[in-house]
Amino acid sequence: MNIFKNLLKETFAKTKDNIKSSIKSIFGDTKINFEDLEEILLKSDFGLEFTEQIINELKKTSNFNDEKDFNNSLKYLLLNKINKNNSNADLDINKLTIIQIFGVNGSGKTTTIGKLTNYYISKGFKILIASCDTFRAAANEQLKKWATLNETKIIEDFSKDPASVAFEAVKTAKNEKYNLLFIDTAGRLHTNKNLMLELQKIDNVITKSIDENILKLNWLIVDGNSGQNANKQYEEFSKFVKIDGLIITKLDGTSKGGSVFQIAVNNNKPILFLGIGEKKDNLVKFNPEDYINSLLE
Amino acid sequence: MLDELTEKLEKALKKITGQGKITESNISETLREIRRVLLDADVNYKVAKDFIEKVKEKSLGQEVINSVTPGQLITKIIYDELVELLGNQSSELEVNPNGLTTIMLIGLQGSGKTTFSAKLAKYLKNKKQNVLLVAADVYRPAARSQLKILGSQINVPVFSIDESNDPVTISVESLKYAKENGLNTVIIDTAGRLHVDDEMMIEAAKIKERVKPTQTLFVVDSMTGQDAVNSAKAFHEKVDFDGVVLTKMDGDSRGGCILSIRAIVDRPVKFVSLGEKLDSLELFYPDRMASRILGKGDIVSLVEKAQAQFDEKEAEDLEKKFRENKFDLDDFLKQIKMIKKMGSLKSLLGMIPGIGSQIKNADVDDKQLIVVESIIQSMTKQERANPKILNGSRRKRIARGSGNTIQDVNRLIKQFEQMQQMMKMLNKNSGKFNLPNMKNFRIN
């Protein structure tokens, strides 16, 4: 946990300073300037609607004596909103879990799978990876390099459609007693109906080929740099497939991932992991309290 | 593209349309609404603030002339401000007329550099340039293979030194290779990097220093939020670039980061990239984009796009056939091929004024074009020239041959007949042939 805190603190160093000093300046005037708070939240991609909601609730809920008071109320408010149940990242090693990974182009799906594989290998899982991105040039090679790095087996077949590759992979995972199967899908814009239907088809094929002893999870990958379009991404993807959890990537820059936080709150979905770099161990399990603390402390 | 922003602005503007004159009170709600529109569109909060201030300043000082409504007046002011913010004039890619043109691409991870580099290569190749793609991303697994595959798809050579992990050396060597092989345009695809990663930023600056590119382009995902200004600023300060490329514009992102980046860093947007097809690339025209944002459509770029693709002679022949009512399925097939060359149907429809917002939810399926194509291609010459002879057994054969159902074939023939009918009427009415209205040109 300490490692997580440190990583996150480092990662969010800039944000933290930003919010901290801004909150100080709010109190510098001895009266609370909610416009400044609005600015801070907007800058973190929390979005106008969500920001206004937070400010309104904050106005209603408390009287603030000082900065600390204000800080705590804000923290408590955010913490109360976020879904804290990310147990769906704690997988049962005694049965097979199938995790389907999807998201828009360039959100970091393949890299995240590489890092997730490393994470679960360290917990003793026997992992199989299915390369169902039969569209992007060299996508399977990228995945293969990750698989080699992690010494995991990979199922691929360029001559087949993604759903058939998924089907093959599920069969192999069952027969060869794997604990965990990652399905890597091609990046697709949520506005492209044909590609969304393709994803749905992969999803259906997997669902049909499993029984109650196998757990299937769908994780949406969202770029931490995304703005309000992330809402649309969530909305559209969830029309075609059930979403069980979210992963925010690329949080090692100056972006704060506020748009994903907002999605998680609005749809009551857990954020499972944060991606904070390109190395295989640059993935941390999401801890709501630490995340919010790092944002606001 | 951007149709949602358009929709929202339209709504906000309606509130003041029809009112007598611009006053502080009747403009304040509109401005608040516009601020909301801009923020929802991911325009940086400060940029939005400045924008609103400017519009307010200009609006309040304005006399409302009888012939215009306050709504029209503010539309004009917002439009002018938008155009100014977007950069006044369109900006072509600079080339080195007497020697080697080098273009270096930089940006964050996943912004779409590699796909864009292939698109740009294809674009320049179509302009009769001899292009070389350079695989200078030595970090992302298989980035080089991705570029090689894309290069082979568009028949553009890809320079790579697979055993080297030094992007500077690779880039420098690529210039030599280009000169030795008579290539005049080099596109260097660098690795995605975070603007806070000093080491990587220094590396990019080093490549730039050694290569001295004619143009350095900063590639940005149009879905980027508030942080766009930070990364753009850092890339500008640490590496510097000549222009911006906006990618993934075929999604429904409101693209507000265009406004932000332009406001923070004074560099023009050079290209807009939409779709995964390697020819879905457009130049960026600020005035048209502003029009589009305000819901005026973009008939100009539609026309230009059509002009570029339609062979004049072919069009003349076609026109003659239309007039003489000799338009057959072979001509129909030719037309479909031209439309396909022009880009996706949805992006074409989006450019027609007034229907941008209407078709937002409509399913315009480019695959239908392929179905139609395959059906016609399964017909004999005779059948194409004279669809009347298509009886039941012929239709059955065509359906089987093209892998479609008989219903598909029937529908196509029926639509073709309707189109002929329509042409007949058009000819009767005007005697002059115009491009068939795309709205009636339904395929599914």
Side-chain angles (χ1 to χ4, degrees), chain A residues 26-292:
Chain A
I26 295 175
F27 283 92
D29 304 332
T30 61
K31 67 169 193 194
I32 297 159
N33 185 349
F34 281 102
E35 246 174 60
D36 284 355
L37 178 63
E38 185 188 49
E39 187 178 310
I40 298 159
L41 294 173
L42 285 176
K43 248 165 63 181
S44 308
D45 285 315
F46 276 83
L48 190 58
E49 200 180 317
F50 191 67
T51 299
E52 283 178 344
Q53 192 190 329
I54 290 172
I55 289 176
N56 285 338
E57 285 177 38
L58 212 53
K59 276 179 181 167
K60 257 187 255 163
T61 48
S62 21
N63 293 314
F64 314 110
N65 298 317
D66 54 18
E67 190 191 323
K68 204 178 155 207
D69 217 16
F70 181 79
N71 228 333
N72 281 338
S73 304
L74 182 57
K75 205 189 293 178
Y76 183 73
L77 188 69
L78 290 174
L79 199 57
N80 243 352
K81 286 181 177 293
I82 188 81
N83 181 325
K84 284 173 279 293
N85 179 17
N86 63 0
S87 61
N88 107 36
D90 300 323
L91 305 176
D92 182 356
I93 199 163
N94 297 313
K95 64 190 222 179
L96 171 62
T97 304
I98 300 172
I99 299 175
Q100 196 181 194
I101 301 286
F102 45 83
V104 300
N105 314 64
S107 52
K109 289 172 295 304
T110 304
T111 306
T112 302
I113 287 183
K115 293 191 279 190
L116 283 170
T117 305
N118 177 63
Y119 176 85
Y120 285 109
I121 281 178
S122 73
K123 300 204 172 301
F125 283 78
K126 187 185 171 197
I127 300 176
L128 181 67
I129 299 172
S131 171
C132 295
D133 182 352
T134 52
F135 183 80
R136 180 159 63 94
N140 75 319
E141 278 186 56
Q142 186 184 352
L143 196 62
K144 245 197 234 164
K145 294 209 170 156
W146 275 107
T148 315
L149 191 69
N150 287 314
E151 294 172 2
T152 40
K153 188 173 163 182
I154 182 167
I155 301 278
E156 56 175 341
D157 189 344
F158 251 96
S159 62
K160 283 186 181 154
D161 76 312
S164 325
V165 179
F167 179 77
E168 274 306 308
V170 174
K171 216 164 74 182
T172 310
K174 282 197 278 195
N175 292 341
E176 298 179 18
K177 304 267 178 278
Y178 282 89
N179 320 109
L180 181 53
L181 164 63
F182 282 113
I183 309 273
D184 185 21
T185 62
R188 63 201 75 227
L189 280 186
H190 49 290
T191 48
N192 189 325
K193 196 177 167 195
N194 287 334
L195 290 179
M196 295 305 282
L197 287 171
E198 182 199 83
L199 181 68
Q200 197 173 46
K201 189 177 162 197
I202 302 173
D203 194 58
N204 287 340
V205 164
I206 300 170
T207 308
K208 270 186 204 153
S209 51
I210 59 174
D211 51 46
E212 69 278 3
N213 296 317
I214 299 173
L215 177 66
K216 176 175 157 289
L217 296 169
N218 286 339
W219 292 352
L220 176 70
I221 312 292
V222 188
D223 187 334
N225 290 300
S226 339
Q228 296 311 301
N229 189 251
N231 292 311
K232 295 269 157 153
Q233 290 171 28
Y234 179 90
E235 223 173 84
E236 287 304 315
F237 271 99
S238 64
K239 274 184 202 162
F240 292 87
V241 288
K242 181 173 169 278
I243 296 173
D244 300 298
L246 303 159
I247 294 179
I248 319 179
T249 59
K250 304 183 205 170
L251 280 183
D252 41 338
T254 43
S255 63
K256 291 97 190 174
S259 58
V260 195
F261 188 87
Q262 169 201 350
I263 294 173
V265 170
N266 289 339
N267 300 285
N268 194 25
K269 292 287 173 189
I271 298 170
L272 305 171
F273 292 96
L274 309 177
I276 49 167
E278 290 175 307
K279 299 210 178 67
K280 66 177 184 178
D281 53 357
N282 289 159
L283 182 82
V284 289
K285 219 173 144 194
F286 178 76
N287 178 312
E289 207 159 336
D290 287 343
Y291 176 85
I292 294 167

Side-chain angles (χ1 to χ4, degrees), chain B residues 201-264:
Chain B
M201 292 304 275
I202 289 170
E203 181 201 272
K206 218 182 261 171
I207 299 174
K208 193 174 173 228
E209 193 193 308
R210 292 288 302 279
V211 170
K212 296 195 176 53
T214 320
Q215 293 268 280
T216 306
L217 300 179
F218 177 54
V219 182
V220 186
D221 185 335
S222 62
M223 294 182 276
T224 313
Q226 297 285 321
D227 204 50
V229 292
N230 293 331
S231 49
K233 209 168 163 187
F235 271 96
H236 170 59
E237 279 163 8
K238 292 176 186 166
V239 188
D240 200 9
F241 49 85
D242 306 290
V244 180
V245 178
L246 274 158
T247 61
K248 306 180 204 173
M249 286 287 273
D250 51 327
D252 55 359
S253 68
R254 299 174 195 166
C257 61
I258 312 172
L259 303 184
S260 311
I261 294 171
R262 277 288 315 166
I264 301 285

